[in-house]
Amino acid sequence: MVSRDKRVTILDLQKMQQQGTKIPMLTAYDYPSARLAERAGCPILLVGDTLGMVVLGYDSTLPVTLEDMIHHGRAARRGASNAHIVVDLPFGSYQSDVTTAMNAAMRVMKETECDSVKIEGGNSQAVETVAKLVTAGVPVMAHIGLTPQSVNALGGFKLQGRTPRDAIRLLSEAQKLQEAGAFAIVLESVPAVLAAKITEVLAIPTIGI
């Protein structure tokens, strides 16, 4: 549940995970949705780049800009003063190099007053980016499995981790992201058995979508 006088931190979320408490997370793209979600007691809200499809009318998340995320992140923060707010870093804002990622993350944190950022992917570059951001004081939620920003490379919105080889790869990515300092990991469109195994192995919260 969300306290009325204390913002939910990553330590609060990790404590919930350690105690075996389920952690609900909802998406919130604006002031009213964030306000209602917080009033309902949701401890963590995601300002996702899916707003490109849900709010802005694009057919994917790829056209979403950093300015779009900052605009909607600010609105969500005004609606929810105590829930932990995570803002997606959009496509193109962190993939090219760590410096670009750092600049984007710093802008989002400063201009939206969010509590953490989320990036997609579990390859070596993503792991390095997570480690650098965390070292710089930026809490990072990781995201593996179906990563919408890579939808073209994945061949569409498809279930991930279906073969033994892919399942092992996703488990390895999750472990490396945890080691890099991610405070939680989103598992999107992976088989329930695999999601349960990753959750069992990790010491940080996992969030299935």
Side-chain angles (χ1 to χ4, degrees):
M1 296 297 290
V2 178
S3 169
R4 293 183 180 275
D5 56 5
K6 178 180 179 294
R7 186 175 292 186
V8 177
T9 69
I10 61 173
L11 295 180
D12 294 324
L13 297 170
Q14 291 170 349
K15 183 177 180 180
M16 291 172 67
Q17 189 268 346
Q18 292 164 4
Q19 294 174 340
T21 303
K22 291 185 177 181
I23 305 172
M25 182 175 78
L26 293 175
T27 51
Y29 305 121
D30 52 28
Y31 172 87
S33 59
R35 183 174 176 82
L36 290 170
E38 182 174 81
R39 283 188 171 185
C42 191
I44 182 166
L45 304 177
L46 171 65
V47 184
D49 59 358
T50 46
L51 66 87
M53 304 165 75
V54 177
V55 179
L56 302 180
Y58 299 127
D59 60 4
S60 75
T61 64
L62 301 184
V64 176
T65 66
L66 190 61
E67 285 67 30
D68 290 331
M69 297 310 304
I70 290 171
H71 173 81
H72 287 270
R74 283 173 172 167
R77 178 85 282 170
R78 289 193 293 269
S81 58
N82 295 317
H84 186 100
I85 291 185
V86 187
V87 176
D88 265 336
L89 294 187
F91 180 72
S93 68
Y94 62 92
Q95 289 93 340
S96 59
D97 56 74
V98 173
T99 299
T100 301
M102 190 73 70
N103 290 337
M106 294 296 186
R107 275 199 65 192
V108 168
M109 294 289 291
K110 291 180 67 173
E111 296 181 36
T112 70
E113 299 183 47
C114 69
D115 303 289
S116 58
V117 300
K118 181 170 75 65
I119 70 170
E120 295 183 4
N123 60 21
S124 59
Q125 183 181 13
V127 170
E128 179 186 5
T129 299
V130 169
K132 293 291 186 181
L133 290 177
V134 171
T135 299
V138 178
V140 180
M141 175 182 284
H143 180 160
I144 60 174
L146 174 58
T147 47
Q149 292 177 14
S150 303
V151 64
N152 292 330
L154 295 174
F157 295 96
K158 299 179 179 179
L159 186 71
Q160 302 297 306
R162 290 176 292 181
T163 67
R165 179 178 180 180
D166 286 341
I168 292 171
R169 174 181 57 80
L170 287 176
L171 177 58
S172 176
E173 288 179 355
Q175 292 173 310
K176 290 176 181 178
L177 288 164
Q178 176 180 255
E179 292 168 2
F183 74 88
I185 297 182
V186 169
L187 306 174
E188 180 169 359
S189 294
V190 301
V193 172
L194 175 58
K197 181 61 178 179
I198 293 174
T199 299
E200 177 187 340
V201 169
L202 298 185
I204 59 176
T206 59
I207 300 169
I209 59 175

